[in-house]
Amino acid sequence: MVANFRKNLVISAILAVSTAFSASLSAAPTLKVGIYLPMSGRTASFGADVYSGMKMAIDEINKAGKVKINAILEDEKSEPTDSANAVKKLINIDKVNIVLGSVASSNTNAAAPIAQAAKIPLMTPASTNPNVTKNGEYISRICFIDDFQGSALAKFAKNDLKATKAAIVLDSASDYSQGLSAAFRKEFKALGGEIVTEVSYQAGDQDFSSQLTKIRTKKPEVIFVPGYYSEVGNMMRQATKLKVKGPFIGGDGWSADELAQLAGDGIEGHFYSAHFSHEDTDPAVQGFVKKYKSLMKKNPSDMAALGYDAIYFAADVFKRNGFKTDAEGLKNAINTTKNYPGITGNITLDSDRNATKPLVIIATHKGGHKFKQRVQP
Amino acid sequence: MSEFVQYLVNGFAQGSIYALIALGYTMVYGILKLINFAHGEIYMIGGYCGIFLLSTLGLPFWAALMLAMPIVGIFAVLIERFAYRPLRGAPRIAPLITAIGVSIVLLELTRLVAGAQPRPFPQPFEDMSYELGNWIPALDGVIIQRNQIMVFIIAIVLMVLLNAIVMKTKIGRAMRALSMDFDASRLMGVPIDRVIAFTFFIGASLAGAGGMLVGMYYNQVEPYMGQLAGLKAFTAAVLGGIGVIPGAVIGAFILSISEALVVGYSESSYRDAIAFAILIVVLMFRPWGILGRPERVKV
């Protein structure tokens, strides 16, 4: 009993000291960051990956102690309505200084008007649909947009894969899928290619055999699938069974470990564009890859790298605003960003608050994906 | 021609799954006049149960299927016992709302326990497909996968078994009696609690088998898989005439084949719109569904 009491005393003493210690730490200027990501639902892999990078950056920054990042995470459940609610909560109840997120463009698009109306800066690490930042001057992103991604993929299909006939399979309810296929269609036609058929599916569909049968009859040389990994992986598997000849090409929505798991043998020989490759030999990238690998026991995806960049970018914006948390100052600091050196490339925001950055094309393989080429904007 | 046949093949495989789920909706509705919205989640749990039995316990496929069906069935009986039975005398809307609640609870519980990620389903059989063009030249290019044949045959066998139970056994007769006249059956000494529990058991077993077959066919299981499939199966049950067992099967095949053909010959984005338009048109002319009988108003 006495021993127990003593133990308790010691513990409470330690607690008291450590609270005092952390209190002295929090004397560093604090930025309250609201994060909303798909931690569950159909695109939960994106949430997990982006947050793994964010968490790593937050821990590094807080350990360094010059500024403190006070992060609040909300799950947007891979749904637009939940995204809007999450951002409402972050702004109205948690009173965050800046909002970071989300990944799927439809979800960021649903949340952005709320941040814009409340005049709180919202910066998305990974939503690529051009319309997202058109919600207003408080909305920005640190990734490229689908106009660039779609046209880069069209050029890749035409010039590198030597394809002249393409089929498009799109998710009819997704802003991302629509925007990306519009950009692809425009560029591919401009290059003299032909779109032989366009078919669509809905998020949550499991069966793509009828769409694939239709594609098979049109004999395209490349199949463009601007969707998310959960459906695309399944589609690849079924394509192998139905003997549909690829290759498939797609955008950053493929970027998840689950793609290969779901596709099985069907994963071999396709291409997608991403924000970053862990095979990049740049020393800064390799430093990040090493740290990430020792922490997470796997290679970072581009989503993880974007999450990492987003937090450091927010800290940099905070610093450039003189460690003040006023929304207007933060917004101006974001919108005037020039050559911020991120892991995913140099970030310069244009007048539409979009970043102009290179992309990488990645070839999918059963034993692990391989870097194929880099495309400059 | 071969294209058309391929769409039919795709439609039949999908339709077998819809049918297995639709049967559960229709049986429960036939007896309790309750639309069991949790039924789609029961189907999803069947898929997870399959993963557990196949990969964790390492059972062979047939043993896993035989075990998964009663496990899911007992699960549904428990749901009936604790969520629906206490509300049996209540207005019809109360159990309906409860069913929606049960559906959400099951979905979110599965999400918490198993995670939101789609889980790869172990492949009990090697992928194999047959090219019909090798035997019938006119059908060049039509591919039937072995899994499609398996799904179709297992579904048909289960439906024949169900038919035998309902038409030939004593408990089947009791089920039919209950669906004709609930109160009269009770007065005649039909043990209604037991019959209702059995109905849930059978319906859920079929849905559980459906979940396992879908896992095998698409190689994945995820917490949200029951939502869309449940909705489609419910539509199939209404289309065929809710409460009528063969109706559910016919409705399921009509729905799945029209879906496949719409994707093939029209805009694929109209798939669901056209499928539901068919439902509306059928219900305009036959509000009781294709095989349903007009409800007599009892005085």
Side-chain angles (χ1 to χ4, degrees), chain A residues 155-226:
Chain A
K155 282 181 189 134
F156 176 75
K158 189 75 184 32
N159 301 336
D160 296 78
L161 299 177
K162 309 278 179 229
T164 52
K165 290 193 284 181
I168 297 180
V169 192
L170 60 103
D171 176 347
S172 49
S174 141
D175 290 347
Y176 166 76
S177 206
Q178 299 277 3
L180 195 50
S181 43
F184 179 88
R185 196 185 296 123
K186 194 171 149 215
E187 183 72 27
F188 196 70
K189 280 186 181 161
L191 292 168
E194 185 197 350
I195 308 286
V196 288
T197 184
E198 285 194 31
V199 290
S200 65
Y201 64 90
Q202 258 192 10
D205 276 357
Q206 284 192 309
D207 190 274
F208 305 100
S209 48
S210 296
Q211 284 94 332
L212 291 166
T213 304
K214 188 170 187 180
I215 288 174
R216 199 179 61 183
T217 60
K218 307 282 186 200
K219 301 194 169 45
E221 289 149 346
V222 64
I223 303 165
F224 182 57
V225 197

Side-chain angles (χ1 to χ4, degrees), chain B residues 30-33 166-167 169-192 195 199 296 298:
Chain B
I31 290 177
L32 285 181
K33 303 286 174 280
V166 172
M167 302 312 286
T169 64
K170 199 170 164 195
I171 191 129
R173 194 183 307 146
M175 284 163 70
R176 281 181 289 145
L178 270 187
S179 79
M180 277 174 202
D181 196 323
F182 196 87
D183 291 322
S185 316
R186 186 178 10 209
L187 292 173
M188 290 302 163
V190 175
I192 51 165
V195 176
T199 308
R296 284 155 311 180
K298 285 167 220 156

Side-chain angles (χ1 to χ4, degrees), chain A residues 289-317:
Chain A
V289 171
K290 215 175 140 194
K291 276 189 289 185
Y292 187 90
K293 238 179 146 171
S294 71
L295 217 65
M296 305 294 297
K297 313 284 174 248
K298 64 168 195 172
N299 280 319
S301 70
D302 57 346
M303 294 296 145
L306 286 171
Y308 186 81
D309 273 356
I311 294 291
Y312 268 102
F313 180 80
D316 180 65
V317 164

Side-chain angles (χ1 to χ4, degrees), chain B residues 18-19 21-27 29 35 230-253 255 279 283 288-292:
Chain B
Y18 287 168
I21 313 172
L23 285 168
Y25 275 112
T26 226
M27 285 165 60
Y29 185 86
I35 298 168
L231 188 68
K232 292 280 172 67
F234 175 62
T235 310
V238 173
L239 184 63
I242 193 150
V244 187
I245 288 175
V249 180
I250 291 177
F253 284 118
L255 187 70
L279 174 77
L283 292 188
W288 46 87
I290 294 171
L291 291 190

